[in-house]
Amino acid sequence: MSKLVKTSEQQTSNMMEKLPQEIILGILSRLPPTSLLQSMLVCRAWRRLIRDPLLVATHFSHMADKDGPSFIFQSNRPSSSYQLFFIDFSDFHSQGKVMFKKLPDLMSIYLVDSCNGLLCMRDARWIYICNPFTRVYLQLPKLVNYPAQVGHIAFGFHQTTKQYKVIQVVYLRQLVLLGGRIDVATSTLVQSQVHVLTIGDPSWRHIGTLPYDLTRPMPKALVNGRLHWLSKPNNGTTASILISFDLETEQFQEVAKPDCCGSNRCFHHLMVLRGFLSAGAYHDNDELEVWVMKEYGIKESWIKEFTIGNHLPPTLQQNDLLHFNMAKARFPNSSVRVLCILRNDEILLEYLNRVVVVFDPRHGTFKELTFDAMPHWYKIVVHVGSLNWIHIPVC
């Protein structure tokens, strides 16, 4: 039996050796990651080939440049063990098809962020970097937890330094004694501490404090080697502050918003559209405006790219509708988030972590997307399906 396996492996290896490397690379780098992982079971020669850093890097480059975006969904219900799903829009423009796939179970950990085909995830004690397809994961060194802390975690990569970093902003609240037990004061935050971990280093580094409030969970945008967030508005105003963190210099700074963004028009969420830093802004008429910074760092380059009218997906249940209207009372249309622009210029929207909608700006129409086994509540992040790992350079 072992002789037969060895002979089969030699034949496979000899066949692969007869093909030019660029042809092998060109074929395999365009296959879905699930197909490549299955190919690793053929023989040791294929396993070595699929693990080759050049193939992994080329494959990631092709997956990132394909015709449609892809995402990771995670169920927000602990009863579902925080199940992960992969959704791919590669064939949406040409065939009108969307792939929705349940991924193999990982640990019951919560999705935080995505970068270069890797996920940043956490549980109550630890932070992890993992690839949901290969199921390879790295448990990061533990940051000493302080009592009564709230925090914000982000994960990013700098193209020049080729380093992955995790940033954790920890806000400490004042402790009080209530009824014989220690509790958290409902007053304002006491202070913030910013900690950075370069993946591969043995410990976190404390780099100072942050004069901005990032306690409200918001998606970040990674552009030009900088992470971007919108800070929580100050008391008495709905206007948020756009801030950035340079992954190379590890410095925070404010990013100028267009002059039109006053107290009645608020940047509410950030995204990256076709490589540009972009933001969703809300107006008194409930319309969602999408602004794009065409030249990074230049205030005058902000332009209003398009406007999305008010829309309530009919599949939202009554309880969701109540939640939706309560959110609108505080931040108009804040339960609507722009995910990306598709290849045919249609816009993918998310409503209330419940419904995915395709908006056609040419005709002003909305189309809901539904999938079998789609979770009732979920978190969604843009994600490139790949075999990538932290030691492999990104093309």
Side-chain angles (χ1 to χ4, degrees):
M1 179 70 177
S2 60
K3 183 177 180 181
L4 178 63
V5 172
K6 184 175 181 181
T7 302
S8 175
E9 182 174 326
Q10 288 175 341
Q11 290 175 347
T12 304
S13 179
N14 291 337
M15 179 184 67
M16 296 299 293
E17 289 175 356
K18 292 179 181 178
L19 292 174
Q21 184 182 26
E22 59 269 18
I23 293 180
I24 298 174
L25 197 64
I27 295 172
L28 296 182
S29 63
R30 288 169 171 81
L31 295 177
T34 49
S35 299
L36 292 178
L37 289 171
Q38 291 171 352
S39 300
M40 292 177 66
L41 303 177
V42 174
C43 64
R44 281 176 291 182
W46 277 85
R47 189 179 304 119
R48 288 193 298 269
L49 177 62
I50 302 304
R51 288 176 174 173
D52 186 277
L54 178 59
L55 173 61
V56 174
T58 306
H59 177 264
F60 173 81
S61 179
H62 284 151
M63 293 299 102
D65 293 337
K66 56 191 169 81
D67 284 343
S70 51
F71 304 88
I72 288 285
F73 279 66
Q74 183 181 51
S75 171
N76 277 353
R77 292 290 184 261
S79 58
S80 67
S81 300
Y82 299 112
Q83 176 65 53
L84 295 177
F85 301 84
F86 181 68
I87 181 170
D88 191 344
F89 281 79
S90 297
D91 297 327
F92 185 74
H93 178 53
S94 59
Q95 304 177 30
K97 296 180 180 179
V98 179
M99 185 192 78
F100 190 81
K101 180 180 178 62
K102 182 179 179 180
L103 294 177
D105 291 336
L106 283 169
M107 302 171 287
S108 294
I109 50 180
Y110 183 71
L111 175 61
V112 175
D113 209 348
S114 172
C115 179
N116 290 349
L118 303 175
L119 297 180
C120 179
M121 307 187 78
R122 66 169 177 82
D123 58 21
R125 298 182 57 194
W126 301 97
I127 300 175
Y128 306 86
I129 304 300
C130 66
N131 185 316
F133 287 92
T134 65
R135 302 176 71 186
V136 174
Y137 72 92
L138 173 69
Q139 180 178 290
L140 302 186
K142 190 173 183 180
L143 176 66
V144 177
N145 287 326
Y146 299 92
Q149 72 171 1
V150 292
H152 183 89
I153 301 172
F155 174 49
F157 175 80
H158 196 280
Q159 190 67 37
T160 302
T161 64
K162 304 297 182 184
Q163 291 179 325
Y164 289 94
K165 293 183 180 181
V166 177
I167 296 87
Q168 188 167 186
V169 182
V170 177
Y171 292 90
L172 306 181
R173 294 186 186 273
Q174 187 176 5
L175 297 178
V176 295
L177 190 63
L178 293 176
R181 65 183 180 85
I182 296 178
D183 204 346
V184 181
T186 57
S187 60
T188 58
L189 299 169
V190 177
Q191 68 177 97
S192 69
Q193 295 182 349
V194 182
H195 301 265
V196 176
L197 177 71
T198 301
I199 303 301
D201 286 357
S203 60
W204 294 78
R205 290 174 287 109
H206 177 218
I207 63 170
T209 60
L210 181 66
Y212 307 103
D213 187 348
L214 297 180
T215 56
R216 187 173 70 190
M218 279 193 174
K220 56 82 177 166
L222 177 58
V223 179
N224 279 20
R226 295 174 174 88
L227 295 167
H228 299 79
W229 300 274
L230 290 169
S231 72
K232 188 176 180 180
N234 298 322
N235 293 333
T237 178
T238 59
S240 53
I241 301 173
L242 176 53
I243 60 173
S244 71
F245 177 78
D246 192 312
L247 287 165
E248 182 176 20
T249 65
E250 299 184 355
Q251 297 293 316
F252 285 93
Q253 68 179 48
E254 294 187 15
V255 179
K257 298 190 297 183
D259 290 331
C260 65
C261 289
S263 60
N264 67 333
R265 183 184 286 136
C266 172
F267 274 8
H268 193 270
H269 67 274
L270 299 177
M271 56 278 184
V272 181
L273 299 180
R274 293 172 174 166
F276 297 108
L277 178 63
S278 308
Y282 300 95
H283 218 335
D284 292 335
N285 60 5
D286 280 356
E287 288 186 331
L288 169 60
E289 300 174 351
V290 176
W291 290 76
V292 178
M293 183 180 258
K294 291 295 187 178
E295 188 173 350
Y296 185 81
I298 305 300
K299 177 180 178 179
E300 293 74 20
S301 71
W302 281 104
I303 64 168
K304 184 169 69 172
E305 191 84 351
F306 48 84
T307 300
I308 300 172
N310 196 10
H311 174 70
L312 177 64
T315 57
L316 286 179
Q317 300 175 5
Q318 189 62 37
N319 289 340
D320 299 329
L321 178 60
L322 176 61
H323 187 174
F324 187 84
N325 288 332
M326 289 174 62
K328 284 178 63 179
R330 186 176 180 187
F331 295 103
N333 266 358
S334 61
S335 296
V336 185
R337 184 161 71 100
V338 177
L339 296 176
C340 69
I341 301 177
L342 300 175
R343 186 62 62 93
N344 61 357
D345 293 330
E346 292 181 332
I347 301 161
L348 202 62
L349 307 172
E350 175 205 29
Y351 285 75
L352 205 68
N353 302 112
R354 281 278 290 110
V355 181
V356 176
V357 173
V358 176
F359 171 68
D360 185 345
R362 291 167 295 185
H363 303 98
T365 57
F366 298 83
K367 177 184 178 181
E368 296 180 34
L369 300 178
T370 57
F371 313 97
D372 293 336
M374 187 172 180
H376 183 76
W377 293 92
Y378 55 79
K379 178 172 181 176
I380 180 172
V381 295
V382 178
H383 182 81
V384 178
S386 74
L387 307 181
N388 196 27
W389 190 233
I390 53 178
H391 67 278
I392 298 176
V394 177
C395 297

